[in-house]
PDB file of all heavy atoms in Angstrom:
ATOM      1  N   PHE A  42      16.090  15.550 -13.224  1.00 84.00           N
ATOM      2  CA  PHE A  42      16.594  14.520 -12.326  1.00 84.00           C
ATOM      3  C   PHE A  42      16.666  14.996 -10.875  1.00 84.00           C
ATOM      4  O   PHE A  42      17.228  14.316 -10.028  1.00 84.00           O
ATOM      5  CB  PHE A  42      17.987  14.059 -12.769  1.00 84.00           C
ATOM      6  CG  PHE A  42      17.974  13.319 -14.069  1.00 84.00           C
ATOM      7  CD1 PHE A  42      18.555  13.855 -15.194  1.00 84.00           C
ATOM      8  CD2 PHE A  42      17.365  12.090 -14.166  1.00 84.00           C
ATOM      9  CE1 PHE A  42      18.552  13.177 -16.401  1.00 84.00           C
ATOM     10  CE2 PHE A  42      17.347  11.392 -15.359  1.00 84.00           C
ATOM     11  CZ  PHE A  42      17.936  11.942 -16.471  1.00 84.00           C
ATOM     12  N   SER A  57       6.551   1.904 -15.054  1.00 96.00           N
ATOM     13  CA  SER A  57       5.422   1.737 -15.980  1.00 96.00           C
ATOM     14  C   SER A  57       5.691   0.529 -16.865  1.00 96.00           C
ATOM     15  O   SER A  57       6.790   0.391 -17.403  1.00 96.00           O
ATOM     16  CB  SER A  57       5.223   2.994 -16.833  1.00 96.00           C
ATOM     17  OG  SER A  57       6.408   3.335 -17.502  1.00 96.00           O
ATOM     18  N   ASP A  87      24.286  -4.916 -41.509  1.00 93.00           N
ATOM     19  CA  ASP A  87      23.289  -5.103 -42.567  1.00 93.00           C
ATOM     20  C   ASP A  87      22.410  -3.858 -42.649  1.00 93.00           C
ATOM     21  O   ASP A  87      21.297  -3.814 -42.113  1.00 93.00           O
ATOM     22  CB  ASP A  87      22.441  -6.344 -42.262  1.00 93.00           C
ATOM     23  CG  ASP A  87      21.445  -6.630 -43.371  1.00 93.00           C
ATOM     24  OD1 ASP A  87      21.682  -6.171 -44.509  1.00 93.00           O
ATOM     25  OD2 ASP A  87      20.424  -7.288 -43.099  1.00 93.00           O
ATOM     26  N   ARG A 120      -8.517  -0.360 -10.707  1.00 95.00           N
ATOM     27  CA  ARG A 120      -8.282   1.044 -11.074  1.00 95.00           C
ATOM     28  C   ARG A 120      -9.210   1.941 -10.269  1.00 95.00           C
ATOM     29  O   ARG A 120     -10.421   1.720 -10.218  1.00 95.00           O
ATOM     30  CB  ARG A 120      -8.516   1.261 -12.565  1.00 95.00           C
ATOM     31  CG  ARG A 120      -7.453   0.640 -13.440  1.00 95.00           C
ATOM     32  CD  ARG A 120      -7.491   1.210 -14.845  1.00 95.00           C
ATOM     33  NE  ARG A 120      -6.638   0.435 -15.741  1.00 95.00           N
ATOM     34  CZ  ARG A 120      -5.338   0.598 -15.849  1.00 95.00           C
ATOM     35  NH1 ARG A 120      -4.724   1.513 -15.112  1.00 95.00           N
ATOM     36  NH2 ARG A 120      -4.630  -0.135 -16.694  1.00 95.00           N
ATOM     37  N   VAL A 187       2.310 -11.005 -11.428  1.00 98.00           N
ATOM     38  CA  VAL A 187       2.816 -12.148 -10.670  1.00 98.00           C
ATOM     39  C   VAL A 187       3.993 -11.700  -9.814  1.00 98.00           C
ATOM     40  O   VAL A 187       4.729 -10.788 -10.194  1.00 98.00           O
ATOM     41  CB  VAL A 187       3.237 -13.320 -11.594  1.00 98.00           C
ATOM     42  CG1 VAL A 187       2.063 -13.850 -12.366  1.00 98.00           C
ATOM     43  CG2 VAL A 187       4.359 -12.907 -12.533  1.00 98.00           C
ATOM     44  N   LYS A 201      22.544 -14.525  -0.325  1.00 96.00           N
ATOM     45  CA  LYS A 201      21.570 -15.615  -0.244  1.00 96.00           C
ATOM     46  C   LYS A 201      20.126 -15.109  -0.294  1.00 96.00           C
ATOM     47  O   LYS A 201      19.203 -15.894  -0.472  1.00 96.00           O
ATOM     48  CB  LYS A 201      21.784 -16.409   1.049  1.00 96.00           C
ATOM     49  CG  LYS A 201      23.142 -17.102   1.118  1.00 96.00           C
ATOM     50  CD  LYS A 201      23.320 -17.806   2.443  1.00 96.00           C
ATOM     51  CE  LYS A 201      24.704 -18.441   2.549  1.00 96.00           C
ATOM     52  NZ  LYS A 201      24.919 -19.078   3.855  1.00 96.00           N
ATOM     53  N   HIS A 204      16.113 -11.471  -4.778  1.00 97.00           N
ATOM     54  CA  HIS A 204      15.461 -10.220  -5.158  1.00 97.00           C
ATOM     55  C   HIS A 204      14.062 -10.548  -5.680  1.00 97.00           C
ATOM     56  O   HIS A 204      13.888 -11.463  -6.486  1.00 97.00           O
ATOM     57  CB  HIS A 204      16.272  -9.489  -6.232  1.00 97.00           C
ATOM     58  CG  HIS A 204      17.580  -8.969  -5.725  1.00 97.00           C
ATOM     59  ND1 HIS A 204      18.765  -9.642  -5.885  1.00 97.00           N
ATOM     60  CD2 HIS A 204      17.882  -7.839  -5.034  1.00 97.00           C
ATOM     61  CE1 HIS A 204      19.746  -8.957  -5.325  1.00 97.00           C
ATOM     62  NE2 HIS A 204      19.235  -7.864  -4.803  1.00 97.00           N
ATOM     63  N   CYS A 263      29.758  32.420  -2.486  1.00 83.00           N
ATOM     64  CA  CYS A 263      28.507  33.018  -2.044  1.00 83.00           C
ATOM     65  C   CYS A 263      27.352  32.072  -2.358  1.00 83.00           C
ATOM     66  O   CYS A 263      27.144  31.691  -3.504  1.00 83.00           O
ATOM     67  CB  CYS A 263      28.288  34.354  -2.747  1.00 83.00           C
ATOM     68  SG  CYS A 263      26.718  35.117  -2.315  1.00 83.00           S
ATOM     69  N   ALA A 279      28.114  21.427  -3.823  1.00 71.00           N
ATOM     70  CA  ALA A 279      28.638  20.065  -3.892  1.00 71.00           C
ATOM     71  C   ALA A 279      27.505  19.114  -3.567  1.00 71.00           C
ATOM     72  O   ALA A 279      26.841  19.247  -2.548  1.00 71.00           O
ATOM     73  CB  ALA A 279      29.769  19.890  -2.902  1.00 71.00           C
ATOM     74  N   GLY A 345      26.369  -2.454 -26.138  1.00 97.00           N
ATOM     75  CA  GLY A 345      26.840  -1.316 -25.351  1.00 97.00           C
ATOM     76  C   GLY A 345      26.867  -1.607 -23.863  1.00 97.00           C
ATOM     77  O   GLY A 345      26.801  -2.754 -23.429  1.00 97.00           O
ATOM     78  N   THR A 365      10.327   0.866 -34.883  1.00 93.00           N
ATOM     79  CA  THR A 365      10.258   0.927 -36.350  1.00 93.00           C
ATOM     80  C   THR A 365      11.568   1.355 -36.995  1.00 93.00           C
ATOM     81  O   THR A 365      11.676   1.352 -38.226  1.00 93.00           O
ATOM     82  CB  THR A 365       9.164   1.916 -36.786  1.00 93.00           C
ATOM     83  OG1 THR A 365       9.423   3.195 -36.182  1.00 93.00           O
ATOM     84  CG2 THR A 365       7.778   1.430 -36.353  1.00 93.00           C
ATOM     85  N   VAL A 401      54.350 -27.425 -22.796  1.00 86.00           N
ATOM     86  CA  VAL A 401      54.309 -27.924 -21.416  1.00 86.00           C
ATOM     87  C   VAL A 401      55.009 -26.917 -20.508  1.00 86.00           C
ATOM     88  O   VAL A 401      56.156 -26.538 -20.733  1.00 86.00           O
ATOM     89  CB  VAL A 401      54.992 -29.302 -21.311  1.00 86.00           C
ATOM     90  CG1 VAL A 401      54.946 -29.799 -19.872  1.00 86.00           C
ATOM     91  CG2 VAL A 401      54.320 -30.302 -22.235  1.00 86.00           C
TER      92      VAL A 401
END
Side-chain angles (χ1 to χ4, degrees):
F42 292 112
S57 55
D87 183 22
R120 289 197 191 277
V187 297
K201 297 177 183 177
H204 292 97
C263 177
T365 56
V401 180

